[in-house]
Amino acid sequence: MLYVAGEISGDSWGIFAFLCAALWNLPTVPALNSTDEVGTGQSIQKTYDLTRYLEYQLRTLAGTYLNYLGPPFNEPDFNPPRMTMGEMVPSATVDFELWRSLNDNARLAANYRAYTHLLCYLRGMDGQVAKAELRKNLGHFCTSLQGLVVSIASVMSSLGYPLPSPLGSTDPTWAQGPHATSPHNDFLKKMDDFWLLKELQTWLWRSAKDFNRLKKKVPPAALMLRLEARGF
């Protein structure tokens, strides 16, 4: 019901005054703040999408690179042992129950360390490739992988986790591998390259699982309004 100011009765004024007093004494409504959660959710989604994109990129790059290495590396059944350089990169292979039991910090730290080392080694590969087109493709992939490392660091920061210390040297000379300076060890160097591409493929598959699992813990952006009640 609408009241014209000059026609409000005494009873109506009483009701109006009561409502004003009630509203004045209501407890403070907590502020709605979703900035942190939306930022974290978007960062996790971006990282997940980037792992899937890199998986797609790697399928083409790996085939091209293995053809560049030649037989037996481009043969479907070729499966060399894990070599010296490969041992310096954390393995993506892990017991399923152990993987499920990892907390978010351990999960993210493992991804960050692995890609930091893999990126260093891939940059070393890029500098040794003779074909310009393959070098270009490797360089583009390294740029994308660098983006993944930055994205993982962003997720860790948004969740309040410190960046882990590297497991070993990330100097470019390390990335060239122990066999790079000896022509007699060219085959062993190629085995390192082969194995690390394979390990990178496994890491990207695992990372997609890791970030898919992590993003399920964050509600959709439309539901991420948090009540920051004072005094609780």
Side-chain angles (χ1 to χ4, degrees):
M1 180 181 293
L2 297 176
Y3 292 99
V4 179
E7 297 179 354
I8 297 178
S9 66
D11 289 345
S12 297
W13 274 114
I15 294 172
F16 179 73
F18 172 79
L19 290 173
C20 285
L23 289 171
W24 182 264
N25 289 288
L26 280 175
T28 303
V29 177
L32 293 174
N33 187 338
S34 62
T35 304
D36 294 342
E37 290 87 345
V38 171
T40 300
Q42 289 176 342
S43 189
I44 293 170
Q45 182 64 52
K46 175 185 174 183
T47 308
Y48 171 78
D49 292 341
L50 189 50
T51 59
R52 300 311 303 268
Y53 172 67
L54 281 163
E55 279 188 287
Y56 169 78
Q57 268 192 296
L58 185 61
R59 280 196 291 271
T60 300
L61 176 63
T64 304
Y65 192 83
L66 294 179
N67 285 333
Y68 169 76
L69 294 181
F73 302 100
N74 58 351
E75 296 173 359
D77 297 332
F78 184 62
N79 188 30
R82 186 171 181 166
M83 299 301 293
T84 305
M85 186 56 58
E87 291 292 343
M88 300 180 74
V89 178
S91 175
T93 304
V94 64
D95 178 77
F96 180 71
E97 290 304 321
L98 177 60
W99 176 80
R100 284 177 58 91
S101 69
L102 291 175
N103 60 34
D104 295 338
N105 190 6
R107 199 178 295 275
L108 289 166
N111 279 272
Y112 183 84
R113 285 195 183 101
Y115 292 120
T116 298
H117 285 269
L118 286 164
L119 177 62
C120 180
Y121 188 86
L122 286 170
R123 283 173 172 162
M125 289 169 57
D126 185 20
Q128 298 171 40
V129 172
K131 290 187 176 180
E133 185 64 26
L134 183 53
R135 275 202 316 271
K136 179 181 176 182
N137 292 339
L138 270 169
H140 179 63
F141 186 85
C142 286
T143 299
S144 298
L145 194 60
Q146 175 65 53
L148 179 60
V149 172
V150 171
S151 190
I152 294 171
S154 176
V155 172
M156 295 188 74
S157 176
S158 67
L159 293 173
Y161 301 139
L163 292 182
S165 57
L167 295 177
S169 173
T170 54
D171 185 86
T173 56
W174 170 88
Q176 293 176 8
H179 313 300
T181 58
S182 172
H184 300 291
N185 288 323
D186 182 62
F187 184 81
L188 296 179
K189 176 63 174 62
K190 288 181 178 181
M191 288 182 70
D192 274 338
D193 292 352
F194 175 94
W195 193 91
L196 282 163
L197 285 173
K198 184 176 181 180
E199 187 68 13
L200 178 57
Q201 184 179 39
T202 308
W203 263 111
L204 288 170
W205 179 85
R206 172 177 164 177
S207 295
K209 299 292 184 183
D210 284 338
F211 286 101
N212 187 52
R213 185 180 180 87
L214 188 59
K215 73 178 184 174
K216 288 178 180 179
K217 297 183 179 181
V218 181
L223 301 177
M224 291 173 66
L225 293 176
R226 182 182 65 189
L227 291 176
E228 293 184 340
R230 288 179 291 180
F232 291 88

